[in-house]
Amino acid sequence: MLDLFKNLPKVPEEKFHAKFKLLKNSLFREKAILSDWVKDFVDRDNKIVAEFQENFHSSFWEFYLFAVFSELGLKVDFSHSSPDFIITYPERILVEAVVSNIKDGGRAEQDRKHEDILSMLIPPHQVLDFQEVLDEAIVRHSSSIHKKWSKYKKDYSKRKHVTRDEPYIIALGSYDQVNYGREFVYSMMALLFGLYYDPLADDYLPRISIKKPGTDSDIPIALFNNDVFEDVSAILFSCTMTLGKLTALANSEEKSGQMNHVVNVRQISAEPTYSIKSVSPTEPEHLSDGLFLFHNPYAKNVVDKNMFGNTNIVQIFLDGDQFRFEGNHPPLFSRYNGIFKLPEEFLSKIVRAFNRLY
């Protein structure tokens, strides 16, 4: 059993990541949930605990993915060092995990303030820096995807235990800026399909490139609109996989006790378009909420959508110039996780703002 919190430290305590210290010292129910996720996880190179303590996000993302795969009943072969997850049952799929981090010199995560937390409850059409946030996310995600695509072509595909007829998924966790939790799917819809969301028009507009923030450099987008990335079968993505996920799962339990106030914004198909509710045993958040699987229409090896059908993962397909969302539950748009309980009248105002009911 992988132990993340005993027999410490693997690294000097002064190097502990702030989120690791918070989990270790204060978030006891959340710590228990995470420990349950990793009980069958195999640390193949004996480095992941130290990585978790010092850098946090990349290891945390892998632990979460393993928990989702385990809940699905997928079998993972840990006998090879890479890719990160070799799923062998019910079908063979390769999954490589990667995270997008804040750029060098970018605003540091420890600078997050209460207004940043509250920004998760601001609708896109009222976000003054929406395009800036979106473009920064696109650039950071493009770099991460290109890195793992190149790794597959130059390394993984040449290994004896890898064949060229099995799907290859890049699992991307977004931690690209302080307020990464309000990206929803907009960054990936633009980067993968060239569909750039305009919040004022409330519509996706076709684009083939964006300007890298602060420069005149063009960044190509619409990566899945031709066969260049045919080796990448799909992108599994989330921008809501943070400590708030653990607290949301804890608040969803029958005997959760007093914890942070967690509020979920969900996008629903019927009018009004958005639902905003406090997370509780009667309005729970599930493990796979917040995950999106973007299928590559030009993939050489197609992912069977039924592999992930019995979850709350939302699967996204592009058919010609039309896209469709398939899922069992309304997608998680964003999440507020704060120590202050928000009054119902405030949440009612947020509902009206999201649904443009003035």
Side-chain angles (χ1 to χ4, degrees), residues 160-218:
K160 290 183 179 179
H161 65 277
V162 172
T163 65
R164 297 298 296 266
D165 61 354
E166 54 203 0
Y168 174 63
I169 295 175
I170 297 174
L172 174 60
S174 174
Y175 305 97
D176 61 275
Q177 49 201 308
V178 169
N179 291 324
Y180 54 82
R182 55 189 171 124
E183 291 172 38
F184 188 43
V185 296
Y186 299 137
S187 57
M188 301 304 289
M189 291 294 287
L191 178 59
L192 300 180
F193 301 138
L195 297 171
Y196 193 96
Y197 183 70
D198 181 342
L200 297 181
D202 193 22
D203 200 4
Y204 292 93
L205 307 178
R207 300 262 302 262
I208 60 172
S209 67
I210 64 164
K211 293 290 184 183
K212 184 176 180 180
T215 75
D216 289 326
S217 300
D218 286 321

Side-chain angles (χ1 to χ4, degrees), residues 128-142:
L128 298 180
D129 62 345
F130 178 84
Q131 183 175 349
E132 177 184 333
V133 170
L134 180 55
D135 288 353
E136 179 66 18
I138 291 169
V139 170
R140 303 304 295 163
H141 299 338
S142 177

Side-chain angles (χ1 to χ4, degrees), residues 20-66:
F20 174 77
K21 288 193 287 187
L22 185 62
L23 263 177
K24 172 179 171 291
N25 299 325
S26 303
L27 305 181
F28 301 112
R29 182 56 197 137
E30 289 90 333
K31 183 167 66 174
I33 291 172
L34 177 58
S35 296
D36 187 59
W37 286 0
V38 302
K39 62 184 179 182
D40 295 320
F41 189 96
V42 178
D43 184 5
R44 289 166 288 186
D45 55 12
N46 200 32
K47 294 179 181 178
I48 201 164
V49 176
E51 283 288 319
F52 177 60
Q53 292 176 2
E54 187 171 359
N55 300 314
F56 193 82
H57 288 134
S58 59
S59 305
F60 188 53
W61 177 236
E62 286 192 45
F63 298 154
Y64 171 66
L65 291 171
F66 180 68

